[in-house]
Amino acid sequence: MTVSHVDPAELAKFARGNLNSRDNRRIVRGLLATWRGSRNEIEPALSGGEEAVPGSELAPGLAGLLERARRLARDRERVPELWGRLDAVPRPERRSALRSDPSFRSWAFGEWLIEECHRLLESDTVRAEDLADFAVAVAEGLDSRDHGEPLINDLKARAWCAVGEVLRVLSDLRSSDEAFEIAESFIGEGTGDALEEARLLELKAALRRDQQRLREAHRLLDEVIAIYRQYRDFHLVGRGFLQKGRLCAAGNDLESAVRWLRKGLGLLDPARERHLELAARHSLMLYLHESGHLQEAWFLLKASRPEFRDHGGELLGLRLRWLEGKIQHAQGDLAEAEKALVEARAGFIAQGIGWSAASVSLDLAGLYADQRRPAEMRKLAEEMLPIFQSRDLHREAIAALLVFQQAVRMEKLSAGLLEEIRSYLKRARRDYKLRFESSLDG
């Protein structure tokens, strides 16, 4: 959930009724979202506020707000139990269980499903897709008498955003677009919270980036950053800057991408989104490497290893290992580069991530070509297709790998052809209709 940290000084102003309506909504949102971790600072501030305005109409509202926050905290404590019960239900029956069992109709459970979905997107897309669908079912089952229709519509919008984001990662861009249209319809019937709209626009900008609608994506991110600035949440501003950086990279403007990522990382609070901060750091190192700043990329990578090991997770660790192999190859440390690339390739194959495994294989082929090791190149080429035909590559991508295999057999693999195939795979992941046209016979 996109929220600002609750400031005790602002709470006192809120309690006295000295804030405008926009800031009042932000404080309420923050109270409900962060109650469990911040109750020691929140209760005294609110209690002091009630005493400061005895007999005012504000005091009953504050009492109601406190009770609602306490109820939400209790609901959050039940989330592990609810997930354990749902996880024990056979997978085909889970959506039915969510609709038929009233105990699953929990706001806190719906929020948790959405947050867990986003957390798992980079490591387990199958489970993330399930969680997004479950979140939609939970939001649809909430009682408007408990939460109010506008708040429920906000949660429905968030759930459909999660669906759209999963579909984007799975490269189903058309269905992702449809999911975001549904999310926008619920936002239009929601509370009018600008932060809810900003999060939707931020995710939609990533979709427009993958659709290569870069100008529209830049416009959406400008709106997002403006909203986050209005709310004085610099962590969220930093997150918007990171998205700007990735957008510039999609347009092959790597120098601008590096600048935006540096600005974003400077504002980001790692404690709030540790994985996001590490993923952004990986992107920065990658763009530094690709734009020729090899030594700086290598320095940052070495300094970052402990944090990636402790907090990055398996998939981000594999990406760092892959980048390490690329940089070592560029530096001429071929033995260590080979070790890193072989490990990364095996890891991606084990994870079932065919696109990344294929791309690492091409980098490994380039290393073997530089060392004039035709036997290893042939072995690599023969291993590739049986593995990748059972993974997530589409027919045109497999055709590109067949060209690679043929070139190795004919001993016609050039650095130029390798780059053609690499570039094609990078673009074709987001456009399954993109045909590969080889210069092998040219």
Side-chain angles (χ1 to χ4, degrees), residues 111-277:
E111 283 195 325
W112 180 85
L113 289 167
I114 293 166
E115 291 163 4
E116 190 70 1
C117 166
H118 287 295
R119 189 183 70 80
L120 289 173
L121 266 175
E122 293 294 325
S123 59
D124 190 344
T125 52
V126 173
R127 191 175 175 201
E129 187 170 21
D130 282 346
L131 294 177
D133 288 340
F134 298 159
V136 169
V138 169
E140 288 175 346
L142 292 175
D143 191 334
S144 60
R145 291 171 296 180
D146 292 333
H147 304 285
E149 202 63 41
L151 274 173
I152 291 174
N153 285 333
D154 281 354
L155 191 66
K156 287 178 181 178
R158 258 185 273 158
W160 277 103
C161 280
V163 172
E165 179 71 350
V166 171
L167 292 168
R168 180 189 71 81
V169 170
L170 291 172
S171 304
D172 187 351
L173 304 188
R174 181 174 180 177
S175 296
S176 177
D177 226 342
E178 292 171 355
F180 279 111
E181 285 182 11
I182 296 172
E184 286 180 316
S185 71
F186 282 119
I187 281 288
E189 299 296 325
T191 62
D193 189 335
L195 284 175
E196 293 285 2
E197 182 182 5
R199 183 56 174 152
L200 185 154
L201 295 178
E202 185 181 342
L203 295 172
K204 188 175 176 181
L207 172 63
R208 294 294 179 257
R209 179 190 69 212
D210 289 352
Q211 293 170 324
Q212 287 297 300
R213 294 163 63 174
L214 302 186
R215 182 175 297 179
E216 184 179 354
H218 275 296
R219 180 183 59 77
L220 291 172
L221 284 177
D222 288 341
E223 289 184 47
V224 167
I225 291 167
I227 292 170
Y228 291 158
R229 278 180 166 148
Q230 287 174 5
Y231 278 82
R232 303 192 303 280
D233 191 322
F234 296 108
H235 169 82
L236 297 182
V237 173
R239 200 168 71 188
F241 287 172
L242 298 180
Q243 299 303 334
K244 275 279 194 177
R246 294 194 175 104
L247 185 52
C248 289
N252 294 315
D253 185 355
L254 293 178
E255 295 294 340
S256 293
V258 166
R259 285 196 300 272
W260 278 110
L261 283 170
R262 288 191 201 278
K263 289 170 64 176
L265 283 165
L267 293 175
L268 215 61
D269 178 1
R272 284 175 64 175
E273 293 183 273
R274 171 75 67 177
H275 193 272
L276 173 67
E277 192 269 343

Side-chain angles (χ1 to χ4, degrees), residues 393-400 402 424 432:
L393 274 71
H394 57 66
R395 185 168 57 185
E396 285 294 329
I398 290 174
L402 280 168
Y424 168 78
Y432 69 92

Side-chain angles (χ1 to χ4, degrees), residues 352-371:
I353 306 173
W355 294 95
S356 295
S359 297
V360 179
S361 296
L362 296 176
D363 288 335
L364 194 55
L367 182 108
Y368 291 151
D370 288 348
Q371 295 178 292

Side-chain angles (χ1 to χ4, degrees), residues 410-437:
M410 297 169 61
E411 298 188 359
K412 285 189 174 182
L413 184 66
S414 65
L417 180 59
L418 264 178
E419 186 52 39
E420 281 181 37
I421 299 173
R422 277 198 202 97
S423 176
Y424 168 78
L425 287 179
K426 187 175 181 180
R427 290 178 289 121
R429 185 170 189 177
R430 301 302 182 195
D431 182 1
Y432 69 92
K433 296 179 181 178
L434 186 66
R435 295 185 60 83
F436 177 71
E437 298 180 2

